[in-house]
Amino acid sequence: MSTKHRFWFDRNTPSSVFLRPVNSSLTAVISAADLLLLHPTKMLIYKDMLTNEELFSDSYPMKLVDDLYYRVTGKLTSESTDVDESVYGGNASAEGGGEEFESNVKKGVNIVLAHDLKEIEGLDRKAYITLFKEYAGKLNEHYKKNLPDKVAEFQDKFQKLLKEVKKLLKAEEFQFFQTISASGEGMFALLGYEEDGMTPYMIFYKLGLQEEKQ
């Protein structure tokens, strides 16, 4: 039979959690990190409804705007793709290769790197709107086949979304991204920057997303 616990934080010790079993006067102090092990949370992955491939997760700061699209805040980062040869017993210096070694580092927006999104280049506003309307048609067929009871709602919201997208494209400059396959079948997400020019954010359309817990 599992034991129920009460737990609370103390402002003077923000990195610790006070844990007390119900019906007990004994109190244990554990770290906040250990609490996550006791009560693990599942990450929510947002996938493209048409390609079934990852777009982003709920691990980033995000907000739902007008129930039409998610505005997800990212950051500029770098990731090393090097293999640590020492794990396999290798020693580059001993083999005379230490000086010739070059670090392989990917730099970019963390959302893009983490989910291996692919940039679609060469699109201007007019070309994007054309692709967006084609995407709407594919998504509409998907709803008719798989979610027939939500077709009317989809069509109504997509008209509102189209107006919002046109406003966004007029107001700002964006880059465009698709899922890893870059098949042209799914969503074309937007990547823009805040006024500081350093903080990236991405826009993903709610109507074209499906959620999956991992």
Side-chain angles (χ1 to χ4, degrees):
M1 183 176 181
S2 61
T3 301
K4 294 183 179 180
H5 296 81
R6 293 191 181 98
F7 55 87
W8 66 95
F9 295 90
D10 188 320
R11 291 181 180 179
N12 296 319
T13 54
S15 62
S16 296
V17 179
F18 294 84
L19 185 70
R20 176 184 294 170
V22 174
N23 300 325
S24 173
S25 61
L26 300 176
T27 301
V29 182
I30 64 173
S31 70
D34 287 336
L35 179 63
L36 291 177
L37 296 178
L38 291 173
H39 300 274
T41 57
K42 290 186 176 181
M43 180 184 294
L44 197 60
I45 300 294
Y46 292 85
K47 291 187 172 184
D48 190 302
M49 190 178 285
L50 298 182
T51 67
N52 197 37
E53 296 171 332
E54 288 187 19
L55 282 165
F56 66 105
S57 73
D58 66 349
S59 62
Y60 311 100
M62 55 189 280
K63 64 179 179 180
L64 180 59
V65 180
D66 297 328
D67 201 37
L68 295 176
Y69 61 86
Y70 288 98
R71 196 178 194 275
V72 185
T73 302
K75 62 181 180 180
L76 296 174
T77 187
S78 59
E79 293 183 358
S80 175
T81 58
D82 296 331
V83 176
D84 186 355
E85 295 293 344
S86 65
V87 174
Y88 308 102
N91 188 330
S93 297
E95 296 169 3
E99 295 181 357
E100 297 179 2
F101 178 77
E102 292 186 5
S103 179
N104 296 311
V105 177
K106 287 184 177 181
K107 296 181 179 181
V109 177
N110 59 341
I111 306 170
V112 172
L113 296 178
H115 301 279
D116 208 3
L117 304 183
K118 304 301 181 185
E119 183 174 5
I120 308 301
E121 300 179 338
L123 292 180
D124 57 15
R125 177 178 176 274
K126 184 177 180 180
Y128 182 84
I129 292 299
T130 298
L131 288 175
F132 188 77
K133 291 179 179 179
E134 292 176 0
Y135 167 64
K138 296 172 185 176
L139 205 53
N140 187 54
E141 290 303 313
H142 179 86
Y143 269 79
K144 286 181 178 179
K145 182 179 179 180
N146 300 287
L147 300 164
D149 57 324
K150 294 186 177 182
V151 171
E153 179 185 358
F154 162 77
Q155 293 175 345
D156 177 62
K157 284 192 173 181
F158 211 96
Q159 289 301 315
K160 296 177 182 177
L161 178 60
L162 177 59
K163 292 179 181 179
E164 286 300 311
V165 169
K166 287 181 177 179
K167 289 180 183 178
L168 288 168
L169 293 177
K170 281 184 177 181
E172 300 179 47
E173 293 292 329
F174 289 99
Q175 293 169 263
F176 310 106
F177 288 82
Q178 279 207 305
T179 53
I180 186 170
S181 65
S183 63
E185 293 299 312
M187 183 185 306
F188 291 82
L190 305 180
L191 169 64
Y193 287 83
E194 302 287 3
E195 291 184 0
D196 61 10
M198 295 295 293
T199 306
Y201 69 90
M202 296 193 73
I203 290 176
F204 301 93
Y205 311 125
K206 182 183 177 182
L207 290 168
L209 296 171
Q210 57 188 14
E211 300 175 1
E212 180 180 296
K213 288 186 177 181
Q214 291 189 355

